[in-house]
Amino acid sequence: MNNNNNNSDSQPKSLFADKAYDASNSSTKPIDISKEQSASNTGQSTTDSSLIDSSVLSTSPTDVTKTTSKTTIASDEPLKLAVVGHTNTGKTSILRTLLRDVYFGEVKNEAATTRHVERAQLTDNQTGEVLVTLYDTPGLEDASGLMDWLEDNTASRRDGIERLQQFLAADNAQGGDTLGSSEDYSQEAKVIRQLLASDMAIYVVDAREPVLGKYKDELTILSWAAIPVMPVFNFTDSQDANIDEWQTMLARRNLHISTRFDSVAFEFADEMRLWQNLATMLTHAEMLEQLMQRRTENWARLYDEANIIIADFLLNVAAFVQEINEDDDPMPVLQQMQEAVRQSERSMQNKLLNLYKFYDNAVAATPLELQAYQQDPFDPELLKSYGIRTTSGAAAGALLGLGIDAAALGTTLGLGAAIGGIAGGLLSNTGSIADKLSGVKRLYIDPATLTLLATRAIDLLVAVRHRGHAATDATQLLYAKEQIMTDGNVELTDDESNPITPWPTHKLPSELKKARGKPQWSSLSSGKSEQAESLRIDAAWSLSSKLQAHNLDRG
């Protein structure tokens, strides 16, 4: 995949971590960190709409007063939101998905991956206004040990903030070689400093974990910060989720508002509920309301642009035509056309991935697996697996020209014999009478292959819209065909009853039929990419509306 596409001027600007801020600079002027990262991440490019600030916030003893002094959030102020929780619950994973940024932080299947506080800001892409500052904190490694220390060394009659501040001033909050591992709570201190400097917090819960005493101690410590805390259940798509047990425990601690947000199996509705629930806990929620409005608008716009990309690709392929003489062997031309279509499909897939900020490079571990979408579209078995039938005996996945039975192409019978044996059913796909008389034969991509390409593109779009930016498992890319075949084991016998394809094979949309007679629409035919794209733009808009209607019907 060509990462240069990430910096294209046509890349949409959206509300996904638009600005980055340098913690070492007192100025709040946005900075572009792509240059800073390039030295350590060779080959990585970062778009303006996915910049984040990975600067480490100060955790030295002299900063205790500065980081723990805050006032109640006022109207029109950015929300400072701390993301806290036990080690390895997916805090950084949730932030990656909220930011639509596979590069934020470090995600590993081991404890205590995040060792410092990192921050990123969500801005209004129309006004540039900072709406929310997110703080990724280290995991709470030993909350039970810290709770014991607080009980032994702070006065129970003092309020929670005073007890936490007393801890932050103690030696074991600073770390160092002189402390034993059982006395070193410097990681917890980083969390508490940020907590006291924030307006509210989300407490990330691994829904697969049982309710243990250490989690109860964590919530007790968090409650002493005197800010709203909302539990967020991660990995809720797992069959091992223990959400009911967790909610019972949370209710006993007066935490009655929680939400589900799976950083792997992403649902946009879950994200909106997260922001809505946070808004109910604030006196002034204008920033979150503005954030929800912008993210909803951007999510809809991305979907519109994605369907335009797919429609434009299909029209480009449908208009693809090559001419040969009647006595020429069509197979070399067929093979060239097939390869051109394969490359065009790869390009379309890359555009979809870049649109939703899934980039294929070495920085993020397997950001998106595409094996399921890279099977040869001209493989007859692939057509069968989608329940797609070819027209009038044409070879599965083959190319049709002038209504010729593609199974006969390249045989010793030649094109003339094939035409003589045709039964008239495909005559609508033939060229003009003048072409026939002059011996010119035209080869097109057949309707079955066009239907397959459309179905697979829609499947990929569904997959990227339901995949979190922390997902690394290729099984997350199960697409509609696999789900239907696995769940129902349905054997499709009629295109009309096929719930997967956007249309029956023999009923191509009018836009694709029109493209058959517009070879100038295809850059694959003419090699003139920009000119061909401009000619088919109106048809692309029309076809994209039909694709969206199909997706709504399919649910």
Side-chain angles (χ1 to χ4, degrees), residues 110-409:
E110 60 186 50
T113 302
T114 301
R115 306 301 298 178
H116 303 282
V117 176
E118 300 185 46
R119 70 178 179 179
Q121 295 187 315
L122 297 176
T123 65
D124 187 319
N125 63 306
Q126 294 185 15
T127 66
E129 182 181 12
V130 178
L131 301 177
V132 177
T133 302
L134 297 161
Y135 296 93
D136 188 17
T137 64
L140 294 166
E141 298 180 13
D142 188 8
S144 296
L146 176 57
M147 191 69 195
D148 291 339
W149 187 95
L150 289 166
E151 293 288 353
D152 294 339
N153 295 277
T154 62
S156 60
R157 291 188 178 182
R158 304 183 71 178
D159 68 30
I161 291 181
E162 291 173 333
R163 298 178 76 175
L164 294 178
Q165 288 177 330
Q166 186 176 344
F167 157 68
L168 293 176
D171 290 340
N172 56 358
Q174 320 310 326
D177 297 335
T178 59
L179 295 173
S181 58
S182 61
E183 301 173 316
D184 185 357
Y185 299 114
S186 57
Q187 288 299 104
E188 285 77 8
K190 294 174 184 177
V191 179
I192 292 172
R193 286 191 187 95
Q194 185 55 58
L195 196 68
L196 292 173
S198 299
D199 300 306
M200 63 192 316
I202 60 175
Y203 175 71
V204 180
V205 177
D206 185 340
R208 302 167 297 185
E209 286 289 305
V211 177
L212 302 175
K214 61 183 179 181
Y215 301 129
K216 299 176 183 179
D217 290 336
E218 289 173 1
L219 288 167
T220 298
I221 294 172
L222 296 179
S223 69
W224 289 357
I227 63 173
V229 176
M230 186 181 71
V232 175
F233 295 105
N234 195 11
F235 307 116
T236 57
D237 204 42
S238 170
Q239 295 180 348
D240 300 325
N242 298 308
I243 295 179
D244 291 343
E245 180 184 356
W246 271 97
Q247 287 179 327
T248 299
M249 185 271 285
L250 293 170
R252 292 177 178 178
R253 282 157 177 77
N254 292 319
L255 293 170
H256 300 285
I257 299 178
S258 62
T259 194
R260 305 184 184 197
F261 186 81
D262 197 308
S263 60
V264 175
F266 173 72
E267 293 292 339
F268 184 73
D270 289 344
E271 180 186 339
M272 287 298 101
R273 276 190 289 270
L274 185 152
W275 298 121
Q276 288 168 355
N277 287 346
L278 288 173
T280 63
M281 304 169 74
L282 291 173
T283 304
H284 300 286
E286 294 87 350
M287 289 300 184
L288 286 182
E289 292 169 356
Q290 186 175 344
L291 176 72
M292 287 186 284
Q293 178 182 349
R294 288 291 181 263
R295 289 184 84 90
T296 300
E297 292 170 353
N298 284 320
W299 190 248
R301 179 181 52 76
L302 286 177
Y303 187 57
D304 290 341
E305 292 184 13
N307 280 282
I308 287 289
I309 289 172
I310 295 172
D312 184 74
F313 157 70
L314 294 173
L315 290 166
N316 196 27
V317 174
F320 189 18
V321 59
Q322 293 290 288
E323 293 184 354
I324 60 173
N325 294 322
E326 181 175 358
D327 296 329
D328 289 345
D329 181 2
M331 293 312 296
V333 177
L334 293 178
Q335 292 170 355
Q336 292 173 8
M337 293 181 72
Q338 289 178 349
E339 183 57 30
V341 171
R342 295 185 190 103
Q343 293 180 10
S344 182
E345 185 186 30
R346 297 288 191 276
S347 177
M348 178 273 297
Q349 290 172 344
N350 291 351
K351 290 178 181 178
L352 288 181
L353 298 183
N354 287 340
L355 184 67
Y356 283 89
K357 300 185 183 302
F358 289 100
Y359 305 124
D360 185 13
N361 56 52
V363 177
T366 58
L368 196 62
E369 298 290 344
L370 282 175
Q371 285 87 341
Y373 301 92
Q374 291 181 344
Q375 189 174 349
D376 187 0
F378 297 96
D379 182 353
E381 294 303 316
L382 184 61
L383 280 168
K384 292 179 182 178
S385 70
Y386 273 91
I388 298 175
R389 294 180 176 274
T390 56
T391 55
S392 302
L399 297 171
L400 294 179
L402 296 177
I404 299 166
D405 186 345
L409 292 180

